[in-house]
Amino acid sequence: MILALAGGVGGAKLIKGLASICSPDELIIGVNVGDDFVHMGLHISPDLDSVMYKLAGLNDRERGWGLANETWHFMENLKRLGGPSWFNLGDQDLATHIQRTSLLKAGNSLSMVTNQLSQALGIAHQISPISNFRISTFVESALGEIPFQDYFVRLQCEPEVLGFRYEGAEDAELLPYIEQGLLSSQLRAIIICPSNPFVSIQPMLAISELKRLLLNRLVPCIAVSPIVRGKAIKGPAAKMMLELGSNPGPEAIAAHYKGLIDGLVFDKADKQELDKVSSGGLVGLATNTLMNSDTDEKVLAENVLDFAVRIA
Ligand code: GDP
């Protein structure tokens, strides 16, 4: 059994690769909820949706988020009515948010709702929020503290980042299903997907119980770097690293996850950094980490699992 921790877009690609080689019984998928927020009364879970749409084969590859063949009549009408237009909600996507919100209002937990939505979309694997508790990421910046979606969408990641706060994380209860997976004698490896370390992975690691279980792990934990040639494939990960005083690359990712991982997979374009990663006490693997197709996703997943077996 494999446990994978993922954020949205980058994480979802590796999850898809892992799901193509692991049966539903062999793969536990824990997804970040630190980006979740309520907008116009709707509970929005961007990372759960990215993983869900990806596993259902409904994601929009070009845009990188949301559903393929999306239409935008709701947004056009909302703008005409003077409503908030900074956060885009596609017509089909809206159905997910409305259905999630109504199931939550009826008393279901976020994990139950995610199971229902995933099953309705024909997804065989179980996708789990890392916690049913509310965790809210705040970006500390020169402008003060900014709620994550304001920073990410409304301000387009412009403000310089000074730090982060994950409200609710420390006391959040790790989802029991994920906790059982981490404690299971069947567990063979833990994978940290190539997601933004600060706003996709760290809100999960800030859960005290998850951090404790990772620090006391009996199986290898492998992270896959989201940085290639000093840049993020998408999003502000590299910009955040620079603003926080580190040089985006395998060495800095290794340092960021120090104590929590045993191996780091990073792109072959950065293979000259192998020595630096190894001298930090980790085992490094330089390989292709760019996932531009189903095959790339599957091959990377296979390489990561082989690497985990080797380290064990
Ligand atoms: P978000 O919440 O939608 O931003 O999702 P993530 O945090 O999971 O994804 C963003 C991160 O994924 C960025 O830091 C990207 O560099 C990384 N990423 C996206 N696509 C790829 C890829 O094909 N390979 C690797 N290695 N990283 C990727």
Side-chain angles (χ1 to χ4, degrees):
M1 198 161 71
I2 305 296
L3 189 140
L5 299 174
V9 176
K13 293 192 213 171
L14 187 60
I15 294 289
K16 179 95 184 273
L18 289 167
S20 71
I21 53 178
C22 299
S23 70
D25 293 343
E26 292 169 339
L27 181 62
I28 297 180
I29 305 167
V31 178
N32 174 42
V33 293
D35 302 3
D36 287 26
F37 77 127
V38 174
H39 181 60
M40 306 195 76
L42 301 173
H43 182 113
I44 302 191
S45 298
D47 288 354
L48 283 169
D49 287 349
S50 292
V51 175
M52 204 166 67
Y53 294 160
K54 178 82 185 168
L55 287 192
L58 297 171
N59 62 299
D60 187 299
R61 251 195 198 269
E62 264 101 85
R63 202 180 328 112
W65 56 272
L67 288 154
N69 306 313
E70 189 58 281
T71 53
W72 304 94
H73 302 296
F74 168 78
M75 285 311 295
E76 283 156 24
N77 279 294
L78 186 64
K79 277 181 211 162
R80 191 154 61 199
L81 295 170
S85 60
W86 64 274
F87 194 82
N88 278 311
L89 294 165
D91 299 333
Q92 303 181 77
D93 190 33
L94 198 50
T96 307
H97 309 312
I98 292 174
Q99 178 67 351
R100 171 184 293 119
T101 305
S102 103
L103 290 169
L104 286 170
K105 286 219 166 113
N108 298 284
S109 65
L110 184 61
S111 55
M112 286 159 72
V113 173
T114 308
N115 285 341
Q116 286 188 44
L117 298 177
S118 301
Q119 278 161 19
L121 294 178
I123 301 169
H125 291 77
Q126 181 166 336
I127 301 168
S128 299
I130 196 72
S131 174
N132 277 324
F133 285 48
R134 276 301 289 274
I135 298 173
S136 303
T137 299
F138 287 85
V139 177
E140 290 159 359
S141 80
L143 304 177
E145 211 177 58
I146 312 172
F148 178 70
Q149 294 298 344
D150 270 348
Y151 163 84
F152 194 67
V153 182
R154 200 166 57 82
L155 300 171
Q156 301 281 300
C157 310
E158 275 292 321
E160 186 181 334
V161 166
L162 304 175
F164 301 91
R165 186 168 68 84
Y166 311 104
E167 192 172 272
E170 213 172 310
D171 301 322
E173 191 185 287
L174 181 61
L175 195 78
Y177 171 71
I178 293 175
E179 182 164 24
Q180 284 154 20
L182 281 164
L183 293 169
S184 165
S185 59
Q186 306 289 310
L187 189 69
R188 293 289 169 267
I190 303 160
I191 315 289
I192 297 180
C193 289
S195 290
N196 185 308
F198 307 105
V199 297
S200 289
I201 302 297
Q202 204 58 37
M204 298 192 271
L205 301 180
I207 300 173
S208 314
E209 185 58 3
L210 179 58
K211 181 142 191 203
R212 191 184 68 77
L213 289 170
L214 286 182
L215 286 170
N216 293 303
R217 68 195 175 277
L218 297 173
V219 299
C221 180
I222 312 287
V224 181
S225 174
I227 304 290
V228 179
R229 291 182 207 271
K231 296 204 164 64
I233 314 297
K234 175 195 156 276
K239 177 177 180 279
M240 287 172 168
M241 291 176 94
L242 283 169
E243 289 169 353
L244 294 170
S246 67
N247 200 8
E251 194 185 9
I253 296 287
H256 179 83
Y257 290 130
K258 197 171 167 53
L260 296 170
I261 61 170
D262 307 292
L264 180 71
V265 177
F266 55 93
D267 201 81
K268 59 183 189 315
D270 297 321
K271 63 174 182 291
Q272 72 284 357
E273 295 219 20
L274 196 53
D275 287 348
K276 286 189 203 153
V277 170
S278 316
S279 66
L282 286 183
V283 189
L285 172 71
T287 187
N288 176 43
T289 65
L290 284 174
M291 293 172 281
N292 292 322
S293 67
D294 292 352
T295 308
D296 290 345
E297 291 161 4
K298 185 169 180 220
V299 170
L300 181 57
E302 283 166 349
N303 287 338
V304 171
L305 294 189
D306 287 349
F307 181 54
V309 169
R310 209 149 39 87
I311 288 187

